[in-house]
């Protein structure tokens, strides 16, 4: 059959369609990849993605509420615990880019009411949990549980609980102190003139395009599609209170897919400048592998070494892992609501990442 101009055009269009299909969104990993790595009693949501731009595999296991018959959905919401700290660090870095904050100026620049000893403390040491400021909130909670019911602002909390003496010279030791994060949130409020939660929404959630992520209030267990946390027995609820003053360190809820959107925005879509991304990935305290608001893991060796942003969180019976490769977007998210051991969650996360190479 002769190749007429019309036939040549039809063949060209057909070839273009084939090439376009081949160049489209890569397929998600097979479901068996997840099933082979997690335990039979896992309860929660698991997300795996081979690279940025590829389709993600998201699977849900078990129940959102053990008192109810309905199964857990892949878009269920979970409290993400200290992964909130990483989101807070992203917010601070955006404000640094806007010249409203500075990582290396004294925190008293924004909170001059803090004692004179705090002039040696910077946002960098607060974000890396090396500030040395006494953990005033923790000490208050040991006396009684009334702070759990406080509705004071982050700034008020920073001044109330963050005015204690230094326990060590800033930058010399690591102390995973919630009070560091009260002070960070207070500095953000002073710099922006708006509530801390509003700044995070404006600078991170909205540009990332997330719809199922926000700050919990004391009634968060009643939110639509919210998974309820339990102790390992799966019979006793383990849902801690969420006082607004600790928003910077642990009152954010999210979904597996939303966490990937935020990470993509941070590392792949220009939410932060290259300089800010380097800050976010630079370890500040090597023994803990801790950078700003989260940990950094190095997997493999030599040419095969992979750097991961390794964000973990605990909030009562909620356990969270976001493992993300900034270079190519390889991702594993584990959201659990039955108080599983973090060591077991880490083991599963590493196994899933390894399975993507096979």
């Amino acid at each position: 059959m002769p190749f007429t101009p019309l036939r040549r055009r039809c063949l060209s269009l057909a070839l273009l369609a084939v090439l376009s299909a081949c160049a489209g969104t890569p397929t998600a990993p097979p479901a068996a990849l997840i099933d082979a790595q997690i335990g039979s009693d896992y309860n929660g949501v698991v997300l795996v993605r081979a690279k940025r731009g590829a389709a993600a595999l998201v699977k849900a296991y078990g129940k959102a509420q053990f008192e109810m018959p309905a199964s857990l959905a892949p878009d269920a919401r979970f409290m993400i615990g200290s992964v909130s700290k990483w989101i807070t660090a992203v917010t601070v870095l955006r404000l640094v880019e806007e010249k409203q904050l500075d990582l290396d100026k004294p925190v008293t620049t924004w909170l001059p009411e803090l004692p004179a000893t705090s002039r040696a403390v910077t946002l960098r040491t607060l974000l890396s949990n090396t500030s040395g400021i006494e953990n005033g909130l923790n000490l208050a909670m040991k006396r009684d549980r009334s702070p759990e019911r406080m509705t004071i602002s982050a700034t008020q909390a920073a001044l109330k609980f963050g005015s204690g003496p230094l326990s060590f010279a800033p930058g010399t030791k690591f102390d995973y102190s919630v009070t560091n994060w009260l002070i960070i949130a207070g500095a953000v409020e002073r710099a922006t003139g708006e509530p801390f939660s509003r700044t995070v929404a404006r600078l991170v959630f909205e540009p990332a395009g997330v719809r199922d992520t926000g700050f919990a209030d004391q009634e968060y267990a009643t939110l639509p599609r919210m998974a309820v946390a339990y102790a390992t027995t799966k019979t006793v609820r383990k849902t801690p209170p969420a006082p607004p003053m600790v928003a910077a360190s642990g009152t954010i809820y999210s979904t597996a897919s939303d966490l990937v959107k935020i990470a993509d925005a941070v590392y792949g879509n220009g939410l932060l400048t290259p300089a800010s991304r380097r800050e976010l990935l630079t370890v500040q305290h090597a023994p803990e592998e801790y950078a700003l608001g989260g940990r950094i893991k190095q997997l493999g060796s030599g040419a095969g070494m992979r750097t991961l942003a390794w964000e973990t969180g605990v909030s009562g019976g909620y356990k969270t892992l976001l493992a993300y490769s900034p270079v190519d977007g390889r991702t594993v998210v584990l959201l659990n609501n039955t108080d599983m051991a973090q060591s077991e969650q880490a083991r599963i996360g590493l196994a899933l990442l390894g399975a993507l190479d096979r």
Side-chain angles (χ1 to χ4, degrees), residues 49-122:
R49 186 181 68 174
K51 63 180 180 179
R52 192 178 293 115
L57 169 64
V58 190
K59 292 195 69 177
Y61 299 82
K63 295 183 178 181
Q65 297 185 40
F66 285 94
E67 303 87 350
M68 306 292 288
S71 298
L72 188 66
D75 62 350
R77 297 163 165 176
F78 291 72
M79 297 293 287
I80 62 171
S82 288
V83 180
S84 305
K85 293 180 173 69
W86 169 70
I87 292 172
T88 293
V90 173
T91 304
V92 169
L93 287 168
R94 292 216 65 197
L95 291 170
V96 169
E97 293 173 1
E98 295 179 355
K99 310 299 184 186
Q100 295 191 67
L101 290 175
D102 188 303
L103 290 179
D104 298 309
K105 284 185 177 179
V107 71
T108 50
T109 304
W110 304 279
L111 296 168
E113 301 95 327
L114 292 176
T117 52
S118 295
R119 293 173 188 163
V121 174
T122 64

Side-chain angles (χ1 to χ4, degrees), residues 274-303:
S276 291
R277 288 198 295 273
R278 285 193 296 272
E279 291 283 13
L280 197 60
L281 294 168
T282 299
V283 171
Q284 304 291 322
H285 188 77
E288 291 287 337
E289 301 177 317
Y290 206 88
L292 300 180
R295 288 180 168 82
I296 305 299
K297 275 196 178 296
Q298 303 286 352
L299 300 184
S301 60

